[in-house]
Amino acid sequence: MNAERIILGIDPGTNIMGYGLIHQKGSALDLVTLGVIQLNKYDNHALKLKKIFERTLSLIDEYNPDELAIEAPFYGKNVQSMLKLGRAQGVAMAAGLYRSVPIYEYSPKKIKKSITGSGSASKEKVAAMLRSILSLSDITTQLDATDGLAAAVCHYFQKNPGGDTKSYSGWKQFVSQNPERTK
Protein backbone atom coordinates (compact mmCIF):
# COMPACT_ATOMS: atom_id res chain seq x y z
CA MET A 1 0.00 0.00 0.00
CA ASN A 2 1.31 3.45 -0.86
CA ALA A 3 2.66 5.48 2.07
CA GLU A 4 0.86 8.62 0.95
CA ARG A 5 -1.66 9.34 -1.78
CA ILE A 6 -4.73 11.38 -2.64
CA ILE A 7 -7.67 9.50 -4.13
CA LEU A 8 -10.51 11.15 -6.06
CA GLY A 9 -13.72 9.14 -6.03
CA ILE A 10 -16.53 9.82 -8.50
CA ASP A 11 -20.15 8.70 -8.63
CA PRO A 12 -21.03 9.64 -12.21
CA GLY A 13 -24.44 10.97 -13.11
CA THR A 14 -26.08 13.16 -15.72
CA ASN A 15 -28.28 15.01 -13.23
CA ILE A 16 -25.98 14.97 -10.20
CA MET A 17 -22.36 13.83 -10.10
CA GLY A 18 -20.93 13.12 -6.67
CA TYR A 19 -17.26 13.32 -5.76
CA GLY A 20 -15.07 12.89 -2.73
CA LEU A 21 -11.35 13.19 -2.10
CA ILE A 22 -9.40 11.44 0.62
CA HIS A 23 -5.78 11.73 1.73
CA GLN A 24 -4.00 8.61 2.88
CA LYS A 25 -0.87 8.83 5.04
CA GLY A 26 0.21 5.30 5.91
CA SER A 27 -2.86 3.73 7.46
CA ALA A 28 -4.44 7.10 8.37
CA LEU A 29 -7.26 8.32 6.16
CA ASP A 30 -8.56 11.90 6.10
CA LEU A 31 -11.37 13.56 4.20
CA VAL A 32 -10.13 16.32 1.91
CA THR A 33 -13.47 17.41 0.44
CA LEU A 34 -16.67 16.13 -1.07
CA GLY A 35 -19.52 17.61 -3.04
CA VAL A 36 -21.79 17.38 -6.03
CA ILE A 37 -22.05 18.89 -9.46
CA GLN A 38 -25.66 19.89 -10.16
CA LEU A 39 -26.36 19.17 -13.81
CA ASN A 40 -30.16 19.02 -13.83
CA LYS A 41 -30.32 22.73 -14.65
CA TYR A 42 -28.95 21.97 -18.14
CA ASP A 43 -31.31 20.64 -20.80
CA ASN A 44 -28.64 19.72 -23.34
CA HIS A 45 -26.97 16.34 -22.71
CA ALA A 46 -23.79 17.38 -24.52
CA LEU A 47 -23.52 20.45 -22.29
CA LYS A 48 -23.88 18.24 -19.19
CA LEU A 49 -21.01 16.08 -20.44
CA LYS A 50 -18.88 19.17 -21.06
CA LYS A 51 -19.56 20.37 -17.48
CA ILE A 52 -18.60 16.93 -16.08
CA PHE A 53 -15.33 17.00 -18.03
CA GLU A 54 -14.51 20.58 -16.96
CA ARG A 55 -15.35 20.04 -13.27
CA THR A 56 -13.42 16.77 -13.11
CA LEU A 57 -10.41 18.53 -14.67
CA SER A 58 -10.71 21.37 -12.16
CA LEU A 59 -10.81 18.89 -9.24
CA ILE A 60 -7.72 17.15 -10.61
CA ASP A 61 -5.91 20.46 -11.12
CA GLU A 62 -6.83 21.73 -7.65
CA TYR A 63 -6.14 18.59 -5.58
CA ASN A 64 -3.62 16.65 -7.72
CA PRO A 65 -4.98 13.18 -6.95
CA ASP A 66 -2.66 10.23 -7.41
CA GLU A 67 -5.55 7.95 -8.44
CA LEU A 68 -9.16 8.20 -9.54
CA ALA A 69 -11.75 5.63 -8.43
CA ILE A 70 -15.05 5.64 -10.29
CA GLU A 71 -18.29 3.73 -9.98
CA ALA A 72 -19.05 1.60 -13.03
CA PRO A 73 -22.45 2.00 -14.70
CA PHE A 74 -24.97 -0.68 -13.87
CA TYR A 75 -27.86 -1.97 -15.91
CA GLY A 76 -31.20 -0.93 -14.50
CA LYS A 77 -34.57 -1.01 -16.17
CA ASN A 78 -33.92 1.78 -18.67
CA VAL A 79 -31.29 1.24 -21.36
CA GLN A 80 -31.26 4.95 -22.29
CA SER A 81 -30.45 5.90 -18.69
CA MET A 82 -27.60 3.41 -18.63
CA LEU A 83 -26.20 4.81 -21.89
CA LYS A 84 -26.31 8.37 -20.52
CA LEU A 85 -24.66 7.21 -17.29
CA GLY A 86 -21.96 5.44 -19.29
CA ARG A 87 -21.26 8.65 -21.21
CA ALA A 88 -20.98 10.58 -17.93
CA GLN A 89 -18.57 7.99 -16.58
CA GLY A 90 -16.57 8.05 -19.82
CA VAL A 91 -16.22 11.82 -19.78
CA ALA A 92 -15.01 11.79 -16.14
CA MET A 93 -12.56 9.02 -17.04
CA ALA A 94 -11.38 11.01 -20.06
CA ALA A 95 -10.57 13.96 -17.79
CA GLY A 96 -8.46 11.68 -15.58
CA LEU A 97 -6.72 10.14 -18.57
CA TYR A 98 -6.12 13.61 -20.02
CA ARG A 99 -4.21 14.50 -16.84
CA SER A 100 -2.50 11.05 -16.68
CA VAL A 101 -4.27 10.04 -13.46
CA PRO A 102 -4.62 6.24 -13.17
CA ILE A 103 -8.28 5.16 -13.25
CA TYR A 104 -9.80 2.36 -11.17
CA GLU A 105 -13.36 1.23 -11.85
CA TYR A 106 -15.53 -0.51 -9.23
CA SER A 107 -18.99 -1.99 -9.46
CA PRO A 108 -21.66 -0.47 -7.19
CA LYS A 109 -21.88 -3.77 -5.24
CA LYS A 110 -18.10 -3.86 -4.71
CA ILE A 111 -18.15 -0.29 -3.35
CA LYS A 112 -21.07 -0.94 -0.99
CA LYS A 113 -19.58 -4.23 0.20
CA SER A 114 -16.16 -2.70 0.91
CA ILE A 115 -17.74 0.11 2.96
CA THR A 116 -20.59 -1.70 4.76
CA GLY A 117 -19.95 -5.41 4.32
CA SER A 118 -23.11 -5.74 2.24
CA GLY A 119 -23.35 -5.29 -1.53
CA SER A 120 -27.01 -4.32 -1.20
CA ALA A 121 -26.59 -1.62 1.45
CA SER A 122 -28.63 1.59 1.16
CA LYS A 123 -27.06 4.94 0.35
CA GLU A 124 -27.87 6.03 3.91
CA LYS A 125 -26.01 3.04 5.38
CA VAL A 126 -22.99 3.80 3.19
CA ALA A 127 -23.00 7.43 4.40
CA ALA A 128 -23.28 6.33 8.05
CA MET A 129 -20.36 3.92 7.68
CA LEU A 130 -18.24 6.60 6.00
CA ARG A 131 -18.93 8.88 8.95
CA SER A 132 -17.60 6.13 11.23
CA ILE A 133 -14.62 5.15 9.04
CA LEU A 134 -13.44 8.75 8.67
CA SER A 135 -14.32 9.71 12.27
CA LEU A 136 -16.53 12.58 11.14
CA SER A 137 -19.06 14.17 13.44
CA ASP A 138 -21.07 15.35 10.48
CA ILE A 139 -21.21 14.46 6.83
CA THR A 140 -23.27 15.92 4.03
CA THR A 141 -26.80 14.72 3.47
CA GLN A 142 -26.09 14.75 -0.27
CA LEU A 143 -25.97 11.02 -0.90
CA ASP A 144 -24.42 11.44 -4.35
CA ALA A 145 -21.44 13.13 -2.66
CA THR A 146 -21.06 10.31 -0.15
CA ASP A 147 -21.32 7.80 -3.02
CA GLY A 148 -18.37 9.53 -4.70
CA LEU A 149 -16.50 9.45 -1.40
CA ALA A 150 -17.37 5.75 -1.05
CA ALA A 151 -15.65 5.01 -4.38
CA ALA A 152 -12.46 6.65 -3.06
CA VAL A 153 -12.61 4.78 0.27
CA CYS A 154 -13.35 1.50 -1.53
CA HIS A 155 -10.19 2.03 -3.58
CA TYR A 156 -8.22 2.74 -0.40
CA PHE A 157 -9.36 -0.62 1.00
CA GLN A 158 -8.09 -2.50 -2.04
CA LYS A 159 -4.57 -3.59 -1.05
CA ASN A 160 -4.08 -5.14 -4.46
CA PRO A 161 -6.64 -3.73 -6.90
CA GLY A 162 -8.05 -6.62 -8.86
CA GLY A 163 -11.18 -8.69 -9.11
CA ASP A 164 -13.88 -6.59 -10.74
CA THR A 165 -11.55 -3.61 -10.70
CA LYS A 166 -10.24 -2.24 -13.98
CA SER A 167 -7.28 0.12 -14.14
CA TYR A 168 -6.24 2.32 -17.03
CA SER A 169 -3.04 4.34 -17.26
CA GLY A 170 -3.77 5.90 -20.65
CA TRP A 171 -5.89 5.82 -23.79
CA LYS A 172 -3.86 3.05 -25.42
CA GLN A 173 -4.35 0.74 -22.44
CA PHE A 174 -8.07 1.62 -22.19
CA VAL A 175 -8.63 0.78 -25.89
CA SER A 176 -6.62 -2.46 -25.67
CA GLN A 177 -8.61 -3.62 -22.61
CA ASN A 178 -11.97 -2.53 -24.05
CA PRO A 179 -11.99 -3.24 -27.80
CA GLU A 180 -15.80 -3.59 -27.78
CA ARG A 181 -16.12 0.05 -26.70
CA THR A 182 -14.31 1.35 -29.78
CA LYS A 183 -16.70 -0.05 -32.40
Side-chain angles (χ1 to χ4, degrees):
M1 190 178 280
N2 296 339
E4 187 169 351
R5 64 183 169 164
I6 295 175
I7 303 168
L8 168 60
I10 293 180
D11 176 31
T14 56
N15 286 323
I16 301 172
M17 184 182 101
Y19 64 88
L21 284 113
I22 55 173
H23 184 203
Q24 172 196 347
K25 288 184 194 172
S27 62
L29 191 61
D30 294 309
L31 172 68
V32 176
T33 190
L34 75 160
V36 296
I37 304 166
Q38 293 286 346
L39 300 160
N40 45 7
K41 59 188 168 193
Y42 304 107
D43 292 333
N44 183 310
H45 186 67
L47 181 58
K48 289 180 180 188
L49 296 176
K50 179 179 185 276
K51 295 293 183 185
I52 291 168
F53 185 82
E54 290 171 346
R55 183 62 177 130
T56 304
L57 274 181
S58 72
L59 287 167
I60 292 168
D61 291 345
E62 182 175 354
Y63 295 103
N64 298 308
D66 299 290
E67 297 160 340
L68 189 153
I70 193 163
E71 185 174 306
F74 61 94
Y75 179 72
K77 295 178 183 174
N78 186 329
V79 174
Q80 286 301 317
S81 294
M82 188 185 88
L83 288 171
K84 287 180 180 179
L85 187 60
R87 289 179 190 138
Q89 182 209 31
V91 168
M93 290 171 69
L97 293 168
Y98 187 70
R99 291 289 192 251
S100 300
V101 177
I103 310 284
Y104 297 86
E105 184 178 31
Y106 297 94
S107 72
K109 283 187 181 249
K110 173 85 171 186
I111 293 170
K112 289 176 182 181
K113 187 169 182 157
S114 74
I115 303 299
T116 69
S118 170
S120 60
S122 69
K123 289 177 173 273
E124 292 81 7
K125 176 73 173 173
V126 170
M129 286 302 295
L130 287 170
R131 187 172 25 258
S132 175
I133 291 166
L134 295 167
S135 302
L136 302 171
S137 58
D138 190 28
I139 198 164
T140 181
T141 57
Q142 295 176 310
L143 296 176
D144 293 291
T146 54
D147 282 354
L149 180 61
V153 174
C154 170
H155 181 64
Y156 162 78
F157 284 142
Q158 309 310 304
K159 289 183 175 36
N160 182 16
D164 66 350
T165 306
K166 295 179 184 175
S167 169
Y168 312 110
S169 59
W171 284 113
K172 187 174 182 180
Q173 185 182 24
F174 176 82
V175 171
S176 71
Q177 290 183 14
N178 298 280
E180 73 285 357
R181 292 186 175 183
T182 61
K183 294 178 182 175

mmCIF file of all heavy atoms in Angstrom, residues 84-114:
data_model
loop_
_atom_site.group_PDB
_atom_site.id
_atom_site.type_symbol
_atom_site.label_atom_id
_atom_site.label_comp_id
_atom_site.label_asym_id
_atom_site.label_seq_id
_atom_site.Cartn_x
_atom_site.Cartn_y
_atom_site.Cartn_z
ATOM 1 N N LYS A 84 -26.662 7.012 -20.971
ATOM 2 C CA LYS A 84 -26.308 8.365 -20.521
ATOM 3 C C LYS A 84 -25.327 8.305 -19.354
ATOM 4 O O LYS A 84 -24.370 9.074 -19.291
ATOM 5 C CB LYS A 84 -27.560 9.145 -20.132
ATOM 6 C CG LYS A 84 -28.383 9.568 -21.330
ATOM 7 C CD LYS A 84 -29.614 10.342 -20.913
ATOM 8 C CE LYS A 84 -30.419 10.756 -22.133
ATOM 9 N NZ LYS A 84 -31.629 11.490 -21.769
ATOM 10 N N LEU A 85 -25.558 7.380 -18.427
ATOM 11 C CA LEU A 85 -24.664 7.212 -17.289
ATOM 12 C C LEU A 85 -23.279 6.780 -17.751
ATOM 13 O O LEU A 85 -22.259 7.266 -17.259
ATOM 14 C CB LEU A 85 -25.250 6.187 -16.311
ATOM 15 C CG LEU A 85 -24.536 6.003 -14.991
ATOM 16 C CD1 LEU A 85 -24.502 7.308 -14.203
ATOM 17 C CD2 LEU A 85 -25.241 4.926 -14.171
ATOM 18 N N GLY A 86 -23.239 5.883 -18.738
ATOM 19 C CA GLY A 86 -21.961 5.445 -19.292
ATOM 20 C C GLY A 86 -21.195 6.584 -19.941
ATOM 21 O O GLY A 86 -19.974 6.665 -19.845
ATOM 22 N N ARG A 87 -21.918 7.472 -20.614
ATOM 23 C CA ARG A 87 -21.260 8.646 -21.206
ATOM 24 C C ARG A 87 -20.685 9.551 -20.118
ATOM 25 O O ARG A 87 -19.574 10.061 -20.252
ATOM 26 C CB ARG A 87 -22.249 9.429 -22.054
ATOM 27 C CG ARG A 87 -22.641 8.741 -23.324
ATOM 28 C CD ARG A 87 -23.638 9.587 -24.094
ATOM 29 N NE ARG A 87 -24.196 8.843 -25.212
ATOM 30 C CZ ARG A 87 -25.464 8.864 -25.559
ATOM 31 N NH1 ARG A 87 -26.331 9.603 -24.887
ATOM 32 N NH2 ARG A 87 -25.887 8.163 -26.578
ATOM 33 N N ALA A 88 -21.454 9.747 -19.040
ATOM 34 C CA ALA A 88 -20.978 10.585 -17.929
ATOM 35 C C ALA A 88 -19.718 9.973 -17.322
ATOM 36 O O ALA A 88 -18.741 10.682 -17.040
ATOM 37 C CB ALA A 88 -22.073 10.735 -16.867
ATOM 38 N N GLN A 89 -19.731 8.666 -17.125
ATOM 39 C CA GLN A 89 -18.566 7.991 -16.581
ATOM 40 C C GLN A 89 -17.383 8.138 -17.536
ATOM 41 O O GLN A 89 -16.266 8.436 -17.120
ATOM 42 C CB GLN A 89 -18.867 6.508 -16.342
ATOM 43 C CG GLN A 89 -17.675 5.793 -15.731
ATOM 44 C CD GLN A 89 -17.601 4.330 -16.076
ATOM 45 O OE1 GLN A 89 -18.029 3.904 -17.150
ATOM 46 N NE2 GLN A 89 -17.047 3.557 -15.171
ATOM 47 N N GLY A 90 -17.634 7.949 -18.833
ATOM 48 C CA GLY A 90 -16.569 8.052 -19.825
ATOM 49 C C GLY A 90 -15.936 9.425 -19.872
ATOM 50 O O GLY A 90 -14.711 9.555 -19.996
ATOM 51 N N VAL A 91 -16.739 10.457 -19.748
ATOM 52 C CA VAL A 91 -16.218 11.825 -19.778
ATOM 53 C C VAL A 91 -15.361 12.096 -18.532
ATOM 54 O O VAL A 91 -14.291 12.702 -18.630
ATOM 55 C CB VAL A 91 -17.382 12.843 -19.908
ATOM 56 C CG1 VAL A 91 -16.920 14.253 -19.649
ATOM 57 C CG2 VAL A 91 -18.000 12.738 -21.286
ATOM 58 N N ALA A 92 -15.811 11.626 -17.365
ATOM 59 C CA ALA A 92 -15.009 11.794 -16.140
ATOM 60 C C ALA A 92 -13.701 11.020 -16.267
ATOM 61 O O ALA A 92 -12.632 11.517 -15.884
ATOM 62 C CB ALA A 92 -15.799 11.333 -14.920
ATOM 63 N N MET A 93 -13.767 9.807 -16.832
ATOM 64 C CA MET A 93 -12.557 9.019 -17.036
ATOM 65 C C MET A 93 -11.616 9.713 -18.026
ATOM 66 O O MET A 93 -10.402 9.736 -17.826
ATOM 67 C CB MET A 93 -12.911 7.622 -17.555
ATOM 68 C CG MET A 93 -13.597 6.747 -16.527
ATOM 69 S SD MET A 93 -14.229 5.197 -17.207
ATOM 70 C CE MET A 93 -12.721 4.330 -17.560
ATOM 71 N N ALA A 94 -12.190 10.300 -19.063
ATOM 72 C CA ALA A 94 -11.380 11.007 -20.061
ATOM 73 C C ALA A 94 -10.607 12.160 -19.417
ATOM 74 O O ALA A 94 -9.449 12.397 -19.749
ATOM 75 C CB ALA A 94 -12.254 11.520 -21.200
ATOM 76 N N ALA A 95 -11.245 12.862 -18.488
ATOM 77 C CA ALA A 95 -10.570 13.960 -17.793
ATOM 78 C C ALA A 95 -9.373 13.420 -17.002
ATOM 79 O O ALA A 95 -8.287 14.012 -17.021
ATOM 80 C CB ALA A 95 -11.539 14.700 -16.879
ATOM 81 N N GLY A 96 -9.567 12.292 -16.319
ATOM 82 C CA GLY A 96 -8.463 11.681 -15.579
ATOM 83 C C GLY A 96 -7.345 11.230 -16.509
ATOM 84 O O GLY A 96 -6.172 11.481 -16.242
ATOM 85 N N LEU A 97 -7.720 10.594 -17.606
ATOM 86 C CA LEU A 97 -6.720 10.137 -18.572
ATOM 87 C C LEU A 97 -5.986 11.314 -19.204
ATOM 88 O O LEU A 97 -4.777 11.243 -19.445
ATOM 89 C CB LEU A 97 -7.384 9.275 -19.647
ATOM 90 C CG LEU A 97 -7.938 7.935 -19.159
ATOM 91 C CD1 LEU A 97 -8.814 7.300 -20.221
ATOM 92 C CD2 LEU A 97 -6.806 7.000 -18.754
ATOM 93 N N TYR A 98 -6.713 12.409 -19.439
ATOM 94 C CA TYR A 98 -6.122 13.612 -20.019
ATOM 95 C C TYR A 98 -5.018 14.171 -19.117
ATOM 96 O O TYR A 98 -4.028 14.722 -19.595
ATOM 97 C CB TYR A 98 -7.215 14.652 -20.252
ATOM 98 C CG TYR A 98 -6.766 15.880 -20.992
ATOM 99 C CD1 TYR A 98 -6.440 15.825 -22.340
ATOM 100 C CD2 TYR A 98 -6.684 17.101 -20.342
ATOM 101 C CE1 TYR A 98 -6.031 16.962 -23.024
ATOM 102 C CE2 TYR A 98 -6.283 18.244 -21.015
ATOM 103 C CZ TYR A 98 -5.953 18.171 -22.352
ATOM 104 O OH TYR A 98 -5.543 19.292 -23.021
ATOM 105 N N ARG A 99 -5.202 14.022 -17.806
ATOM 106 C CA ARG A 99 -4.212 14.496 -16.838
ATOM 107 C C ARG A 99 -3.302 13.365 -16.335
ATOM 108 O O ARG A 99 -2.592 13.526 -15.356
ATOM 109 C CB ARG A 99 -4.904 15.161 -15.647
ATOM 110 C CG ARG A 99 -5.583 16.479 -15.970
ATOM 111 C CD ARG A 99 -4.554 17.574 -16.239
ATOM 112 N NE ARG A 99 -5.183 18.873 -16.261
ATOM 113 C CZ ARG A 99 -5.352 19.603 -17.344
ATOM 114 N NH1 ARG A 99 -4.945 19.165 -18.518
ATOM 115 N NH2 ARG A 99 -5.930 20.788 -17.268
ATOM 116 N N SER A 100 -3.356 12.205 -17.007
ATOM 117 C CA SER A 100 -2.500 11.048 -16.676
ATOM 118 C C SER A 100 -2.697 10.545 -15.251
ATOM 119 O O SER A 100 -1.747 10.130 -14.589
ATOM 120 C CB SER A 100 -1.025 11.373 -16.925
ATOM 121 O OG SER A 100 -0.829 11.703 -18.279
ATOM 122 N N VAL A 101 -3.939 10.582 -14.777
ATOM 123 C CA VAL A 101 -4.270 10.045 -13.455
ATOM 124 C C VAL A 101 -4.772 8.613 -13.669
ATOM 125 O O VAL A 101 -5.714 8.405 -14.431
ATOM 126 C CB VAL A 101 -5.364 10.889 -12.755
ATOM 127 C CG1 VAL A 101 -5.745 10.275 -11.407
ATOM 128 C CG2 VAL A 101 -4.905 12.332 -12.583
ATOM 129 N N PRO A 102 -4.148 7.620 -13.020
ATOM 130 C CA PRO A 102 -4.616 6.243 -13.172
ATOM 131 C C PRO A 102 -6.078 6.104 -12.720
ATOM 132 O O PRO A 102 -6.479 6.666 -11.705
ATOM 133 C CB PRO A 102 -3.689 5.430 -12.263
ATOM 134 C CG PRO A 102 -2.471 6.273 -12.109
ATOM 135 C CD PRO A 102 -2.962 7.705 -12.159
ATOM 136 N N ILE A 103 -6.849 5.330 -13.491
ATOM 137 C CA ILE A 103 -8.277 5.160 -13.252
ATOM 138 C C ILE A 103 -8.540 3.745 -12.736
ATOM 139 O O ILE A 103 -8.015 2.780 -13.286
ATOM 140 C CB ILE A 103 -9.085 5.326 -14.569
ATOM 141 C CG1 ILE A 103 -8.703 6.589 -15.314
ATOM 142 C CG2 ILE A 103 -10.577 5.199 -14.318
ATOM 143 C CD1 ILE A 103 -9.227 7.854 -14.782
ATOM 144 N N TYR A 104 -9.377 3.647 -11.709
ATOM 145 C CA TYR A 104 -9.802 2.360 -11.168
ATOM 146 C C TYR A 104 -11.319 2.359 -11.140
ATOM 147 O O TYR A 104 -11.936 3.280 -10.605
ATOM 148 C CB TYR A 104 -9.236 2.135 -9.767
ATOM 149 C CG TYR A 104 -7.723 2.073 -9.772
ATOM 150 C CD1 TYR A 104 -6.968 3.234 -9.692
ATOM 151 C CD2 TYR A 104 -7.069 0.860 -9.901
ATOM 152 C CE1 TYR A 104 -5.580 3.191 -9.726
ATOM 153 C CE2 TYR A 104 -5.674 0.812 -9.933
ATOM 154 C CZ TYR A 104 -4.944 1.972 -9.843
ATOM 155 O OH TYR A 104 -3.580 1.925 -9.885
ATOM 156 N N GLU A 105 -11.910 1.316 -11.706
ATOM 157 C CA GLU A 105 -13.357 1.225 -11.851
ATOM 158 C C GLU A 105 -13.885 0.127 -10.929
ATOM 159 O O GLU A 105 -13.337 -0.977 -10.908
ATOM 160 C CB GLU A 105 -13.660 0.897 -13.319
ATOM 161 C CG GLU A 105 -15.104 0.849 -13.687
ATOM 162 C CD GLU A 105 -15.282 0.561 -15.172
ATOM 163 O OE1 GLU A 105 -14.444 -0.139 -15.784
ATOM 164 O OE2 GLU A 105 -16.275 1.041 -15.721
ATOM 165 N N TYR A 106 -14.939 0.442 -10.167
ATOM 166 C CA TYR A 106 -15.526 -0.511 -9.231
ATOM 167 C C TYR A 106 -17.029 -0.605 -9.462
ATOM 168 O O TYR A 106 -17.680 0.406 -9.700
ATOM 169 C CB TYR A 106 -15.276 -0.075 -7.781
ATOM 170 C CG TYR A 106 -13.815 -0.049 -7.414
ATOM 171 C CD1 TYR A 106 -13.074 1.119 -7.514
ATOM 172 C CD2 TYR A 106 -13.172 -1.205 -6.975
ATOM 173 C CE1 TYR A 106 -11.726 1.139 -7.195
ATOM 174 C CE2 TYR A 106 -11.826 -1.190 -6.647
ATOM 175 C CZ TYR A 106 -11.109 -0.012 -6.751
ATOM 176 O OH TYR A 106 -9.774 -0.009 -6.438
ATOM 177 N N SER A 107 -17.545 -1.807 -9.339
ATOM 178 C CA SER A 107 -18.992 -1.989 -9.456
ATOM 179 C C SER A 107 -19.675 -1.394 -8.217
ATOM 180 O O SER A 107 -19.064 -1.311 -7.143
ATOM 181 C CB SER A 107 -19.333 -3.477 -9.570
ATOM 182 O OG SER A 107 -19.134 -4.123 -8.325
ATOM 183 N N PRO A 108 -20.941 -0.993 -8.352
ATOM 184 C CA PRO A 108 -21.662 -0.472 -7.189
ATOM 185 C C PRO A 108 -21.679 -1.470 -6.018
ATOM 186 O O PRO A 108 -21.497 -1.074 -4.864
ATOM 187 C CB PRO A 108 -23.073 -0.220 -7.723
ATOM 188 C CG PRO A 108 -22.881 -0.001 -9.193
ATOM 189 C CD PRO A 108 -21.736 -0.900 -9.574
ATOM 190 N N LYS A 109 -21.856 -2.750 -6.309
ATOM 191 C CA LYS A 109 -21.877 -3.768 -5.244
ATOM 192 C C LYS A 109 -20.536 -3.855 -4.534
ATOM 193 O O LYS A 109 -20.477 -4.010 -3.322
ATOM 194 C CB LYS A 109 -22.255 -5.138 -5.805
ATOM 195 C CG LYS A 109 -23.732 -5.279 -6.069
ATOM 196 C CD LYS A 109 -24.061 -6.709 -6.457
ATOM 197 C CE LYS A 109 -25.526 -6.833 -6.734
ATOM 198 N NZ LYS A 109 -26.237 -7.598 -5.765
ATOM 199 N N LYS A 110 -19.444 -3.786 -5.296
ATOM 200 C CA LYS A 110 -18.100 -3.858 -4.708
ATOM 201 C C LYS A 110 -17.881 -2.671 -3.764
ATOM 202 O O LYS A 110 -17.337 -2.834 -2.669
ATOM 203 C CB LYS A 110 -17.055 -3.863 -5.828
ATOM 204 C CG LYS A 110 -15.619 -3.763 -5.360
ATOM 205 C CD LYS A 110 -15.080 -5.108 -5.019
ATOM 206 C CE LYS A 110 -13.585 -5.029 -4.762
ATOM 207 N NZ LYS A 110 -13.015 -6.347 -4.559
ATOM 208 N N ILE A 111 -18.309 -1.485 -4.183
ATOM 209 C CA ILE A 111 -18.145 -0.290 -3.349
ATOM 210 C C ILE A 111 -18.939 -0.443 -2.055
ATOM 211 O O ILE A 111 -18.411 -0.254 -0.962
ATOM 212 C CB ILE A 111 -18.556 0.979 -4.123
ATOM 213 C CG1 ILE A 111 -17.576 1.235 -5.276
ATOM 214 C CG2 ILE A 111 -18.627 2.189 -3.185
ATOM 215 C CD1 ILE A 111 -18.002 2.321 -6.249
ATOM 216 N N LYS A 112 -20.216 -0.797 -2.181
ATOM 217 C CA LYS A 112 -21.070 -0.942 -0.995
ATOM 218 C C LYS A 112 -20.522 -2.018 -0.055
ATOM 219 O O LYS A 112 -20.490 -1.827 1.159
ATOM 220 C CB LYS A 112 -22.497 -1.295 -1.407
ATOM 221 C CG LYS A 112 -23.223 -0.156 -2.069
ATOM 222 C CD LYS A 112 -24.594 -0.603 -2.550
ATOM 223 C CE LYS A 112 -25.318 0.527 -3.263
ATOM 224 N NZ LYS A 112 -26.652 0.106 -3.718
ATOM 225 N N LYS A 113 -20.089 -3.128 -0.626
ATOM 226 C CA LYS A 113 -19.577 -4.227 0.201
ATOM 227 C C LYS A 113 -18.301 -3.829 0.932
ATOM 228 O O LYS A 113 -18.112 -4.169 2.098
ATOM 229 C CB LYS A 113 -19.339 -5.469 -0.643
ATOM 230 C CG LYS A 113 -18.966 -6.666 0.197
ATOM 231 C CD LYS A 113 -18.996 -7.949 -0.590
ATOM 232 C CE LYS A 113 -18.658 -9.066 0.380
ATOM 233 N NZ LYS A 113 -19.138 -10.333 -0.030
ATOM 234 N N SER A 114 -17.419 -3.088 0.262
ATOM 235 C CA SER A 114 -16.159 -2.700 0.908
ATOM 236 C C SER A 114 -16.397 -1.690 2.038
ATOM 237 O O SER A 114 -15.636 -1.662 2.999
ATOM 238 C CB SER A 114 -15.169 -2.144 -0.104
ATOM 239 O OG SER A 114 -15.534 -0.864 -0.522
#
